[in-house]
Amino acid sequence: MKKISKILMLVGISVLLVSACTEDPIVREPSPNENSYGVYFLSNNPVDVTVKSDATSYTYKVGRLNTSGSISVPLTSEGDPIFTIPATVSFSEGQQIAEFTVTFNPLPSTPSTVKVRIDEQYAALYGPGYNVFEGKLKAINWVSLGTGQFYDVFLGLGVVEVEVLKAEGFNNYRIIDPYPVALVSQDSWYGGPRAEEIEFWVTSGANVTWDKFWYIGLNYQGVAGQPIKAYLPSALAASEAPNDANSKFLTDKVVFFNPYYYIDGLGGYGLQPVYLSLPGGPDLPL
């Protein structure tokens, strides 16, 4: 009987082993969060951004794995309340990369958190990116360098003492009140718009440049609506672009600007010399 019991036991074990080996393999069921869209934040979205102090928007990018069809993907803001996030970002048929723009009032110089979530029904949870992006945005912090001197030769009204600011971490500068009313009002053509500040920056080619033009506070012949503008030469005409290179640091303390003075629709006075002596620099005129 003992032998028979042993035989039956071995047969039973064999049957169990065979049954175990012939069971269907385990198949991974799709997660309820997986989908056919595969939308994700691009990995090259910058996480620490400094914008100009008057900036009111910044743009980020999202991608998708499946480019079939047109879709609108819901977005949710989970960052600081200063930011406004669009409700959706849209892809057209065949489009792989889309952009959405975060808007805000001018930012402080301390970082604020922008955090955006893609609706999980559309997100590539297991793809090249994830459905949540978090980064920091802040405005340029302007630091006063002290008092310098500004001299516009065309204006011919003498040297102006000006405060000079520098953007922390950048080669951007601001000249504060280069055309004060007390000075410019001495000219008979006074009355046009005037720049309360001039912002300029150093280019990769070691020249200095600015945004299109600035106003000098004069109207041509004193006629309203005919302001004289100090143009960046290339902003006035492509043929003038080579003259952009004239504007540069003459020394580490003296900046030379060579704007083209022009009255829109009438004509101009050509390239004019303008100087800035940074705080600690020599007295103007040179």
Side-chain angles (χ1 to χ4, degrees), residues 221-252:
Q221 294 184 339
V223 177
Q226 297 182 162
I228 300 174
K229 299 178 179 179
Y231 271 98
L232 180 69
S234 62
L236 179 62
S239 60
E240 291 292 332
N243 292 316
D244 286 3
N246 298 343
S247 298
K248 57 188 176 183
F249 273 83
L250 299 179
T251 71
D252 63 340

Side-chain angles (χ1 to χ4, degrees), residues 5-212:
S5 298
K6 289 182 179 179
I7 291 171
L8 291 174
M9 185 179 296
L10 290 172
V11 171
I13 292 172
S14 299
V15 171
L16 288 173
L17 290 174
V18 171
S19 298
C21 293
T22 58
E23 284 184 3
D24 291 336
I26 297 174
V27 177
R28 177 183 176 275
E29 293 295 329
S31 164
N33 288 329
E34 290 183 89
N35 57 74
S36 61
Y37 305 110
V39 182
Y40 60 94
F41 289 102
L42 266 63
S43 60
N44 60 359
N45 280 312
V47 295
D48 290 297
V49 177
T50 300
V51 298
K52 290 186 175 181
S53 53
D54 59 351
T56 56
S57 66
Y58 192 80
T59 299
Y60 294 96
K61 295 182 179 181
V62 294
R64 62 172 173 165
L65 301 177
N66 181 0
T67 60
S68 298
S70 299
I71 59 172
S72 291
V73 181
L75 301 176
T76 303
S77 176
E78 299 178 356
D80 291 336
I82 192 173
F83 299 113
T84 299
I85 309 296
T88 61
V89 58
S90 297
F91 292 85
S92 58
E93 169 68 36
Q95 183 180 2
Q96 183 179 13
I97 306 298
E99 297 181 343
F100 68 92
T101 299
V102 176
T103 58
F104 43 83
N105 292 322
L107 294 171
S109 58
T110 53
S112 298
T113 299
V114 55
K115 185 175 181 181
V116 187
R117 182 181 297 273
I118 296 170
D119 190 306
E120 290 190 0
Q121 294 184 34
Y122 295 82
L125 300 183
Y126 304 101
Y130 191 54
N131 69 324
V132 176
F133 171 80
E134 183 171 342
K136 301 289 185 181
L137 281 173
K138 67 176 182 178
I140 288 176
N141 184 32
W142 291 97
V143 179
S144 178
L145 300 180
T147 301
Q149 294 184 347
F150 182 80
Y151 181 48
D152 184 327
V153 176
F154 175 83
L155 201 63
L157 296 176
V159 175
V160 179
E161 289 195 349
V162 291
E163 183 182 15
V164 181
L165 308 180
K166 187 176 186 300
E168 190 174 45
F170 297 88
N171 281 322
N172 292 52
Y173 297 81
R174 282 182 173 175
I175 308 167
I176 305 302
D177 201 18
Y179 298 98
V181 172
L183 182 70
V184 183
S185 60
Q186 298 176 29
D187 194 288
S188 61
W189 287 5
Y190 169 71
R194 64 184 185 89
E196 295 184 358
E197 61 182 39
I198 297 172
E199 182 174 341
F200 69 95
W201 54 94
V202 181
T203 69
S204 57
N207 295 110
V208 299
T209 190
W210 58 95
D211 187 16
K212 296 181 181 178

